Amino acid sequence: MSPAKQIFIFITQIFFYTVSFSQAGIFLSCDSLKKLLSSEIKEDTIRADRLFYLSNHYIYDNPDSGIYYADRALRLSRKLGYTIREAWANFNLGEAYSVLGDYALSMQYYLQSLDLFQQMKRPIGVSTMKYCIGSIYAEMSDYKQALQYYFEARKMDEENPDDLKLMLPDISMNARLIVNDLCIGEAYSVGNMLDSALFFARRGFTKDRELRNDWTSPALVLGSIYFKKNQLDSALYCYRLTFKQTAQNDRIDINNGIAAIFSKRNQSDSCRHYATMAFDTAQLIHYRKGAMHASELLGWVYEKINPVEAMHYYKINMAIKDSLYDREKLSRVNFLVFTEKLKEQELHATQEKYQNRLKMYGLLIVVSFSLLIALLLWRSNRHRQNAYALLQKQAENELQIQKLESEKTKSELQHQASELEMQTLRAQMNPHFIFNCLSSINRYILINKTEEASEYLTKFSRFIRMALQNSEKSLISLENELEALRLYLDLERLRFKNAFNYSITFVNTIDISAVFIPPLLIQPFAENAIWHGLMHKKGTGCLEINLCAEDKTLICVIMDNGIGRSMAAALNSKSAENNKSMGVQITMGRLALLNRSENGQPIFNIEDLIDNEGNGCGTRVVLKMPYNDLTEVFE
């Protein structure tokens, strides 16, 4: 057992013995507790307490008896729902099995105790269990895990000083921090990180001396680290200090440490003196690890002066080593099996949590889709109502035009009728690709491609928002029109797995924020190029959109390298043809109204592109439309 763990046991026993006092204030001995247990039949919390207190007397000196009484305390506490006693009974069982070297069972009970303290929100109980779990990992030479638990325990102690006073009134915060420094120092020493080990061990030792505790363990830990660093004078100084509360085990370890220093200095007489004291005491109290180290040192001492005696000690050393090795090997195997099961349980819990999270995200997406579809249906119905109202208003205006005698008034009303016709056509536009986008998003969800679904849904929602906002305006900036167009093209690229590339270029300098045109004029032609030209093309398609502004006219050239109109017609995609041509037909009507009101020239031209062999290799659409500048829009 490590020196730091011995200090931890010591201060924990202070707590246990404090709470073991009777109501009259008289300490109850083992015999008194046994008599009370035998005379009382009622199974209540008082009986559970007495079983627990009785186990305290045995867990370190007679761990088998400690296990017997702690197990009875655990079972009764669990039956009564006495959670705090159940937690501490688990702790006692963990301690007893740790003394016996069964670290797998010890870890199991420590973890159960940790879980109970966490449920009760007792931070000092949680930190105490973390110290114990860290000590098990240190015994198993897993210093990284040990350090993790030690640092977590220290943080909890420092953050909960009031809870420490309430739960362990006889144990100061400084005592806990000294234990923490020594535990961390020992863990670093196990990992051969000796500079870090020396820092924490020296800090714990200094604090112990300042508080005049004069515990043995701080000097023992610090001395062992100095010995590892081959700083023998410093190690000898630590070992030779006089301390209070020095247990026999500590004295054996100190004598072995001093003997090892003299062994390194080839001072055989001094080595024999201290090794003999350590060996005799270890044999007397059955401290096998102390006897093993002392016998090895005595074997070295007697090699030159008495080979027979040297052989005697070496035989003792080998016998103890074999016994401890077999026990330690079995303990390590059991611990590894336990930790592997623990990792499997944690992995299963993580996977289950991940699956639940996926289900939750899927549910949220389905609800979002439902709300979005409901919103689209509502907007569609609203547009139909607005279209009907606009048609009625258009009819009323036409009747009024017939009655007006003034040519000027008649001309203004005709202009207003043209504007209403354009609003009617915009209201009647059906964004048919919306439902195709929803299908694509749904497909990504079904195949668990949540990131692609999220990206598609983000672009889709932005496009819908822009379409709804732009549909309320008669004119929008070319900047907004191109942003909506890019969103649409990105959606189609995602949907068709990047089957085509696109580019938007300016032939001359255009201030896109100062050029205003009716919304959604370019997109239908780009959509037509994708669905009738690029969708059926083998290999990567290319869509080019060139813009030029001349004499208050915006010229837009849309060119693709698809299969051409002739081959597209031969594919006889009749249903798709009808759906996809509607947007172009409506846009043609809008362009006609726009140019008629502005006395414009022919509005657009479609040209088939032919390769050297006379085969169709794409289409070229030229749109011409008058535009308004910034001053005209805000007049």
Side-chain angles (χ1 to χ4, degrees), residues 62 72 83 130 148 232 248 287 337 374 383 412 510 523 623 631:
N62 188 353
R72 289 178 62 187
T83 310
K130 287 183 180 290
Q148 178 182 336
L232 303 182
Q248 283 183 311
Y287 180 29
V337 171
H383 277 296
E412 290 176 356
I510 303 175
Q523 181 266 338
L623 305 179
T631 57

Side-chain angles (χ1 to χ4, degrees), residues 27 82 101 161 170 279 284 319 410 416 432 451 453 465 482 497 499 501 538 540 551 570 590 605:
F27 182 79
Y82 191 14
D170 294 323
F279 182 79
L284 183 65
K410 184 176 180 180
Q416 185 178 358
H432 46 269
E451 292 184 359
R465 183 170 64 252
L482 294 178
K497 301 178 180 178
N501 297 318
K538 294 181 179 180
T540 304
D551 300 326
R590 292 175 64 204
N605 180 51

Side-chain angles (χ1 to χ4, degrees), residues 149-202:
Y149 279 98
Y150 288 152
F151 280 119
E152 289 174 359
R154 184 185 189 91
K155 183 179 179 183
M156 296 194 75
D157 283 346
E158 291 176 337
E159 292 176 351
N160 298 278
D162 295 335
D163 191 67
L164 177 63
K165 289 180 182 178
L166 179 65
M167 191 171 183
L168 305 176
D170 294 323
I171 299 173
S172 68
M173 176 63 74
N174 284 324
R176 297 275 287 197
L177 297 182
I178 289 172
V179 171
N180 184 269
D181 281 336
L182 297 179
C183 288
I184 292 173
E186 283 193 318
Y188 276 124
S189 179
V190 170
N192 285 319
M193 301 176 68
L194 299 182
D195 290 334
S196 298
L198 186 60
F199 170 81
F200 284 98
R202 186 185 290 157

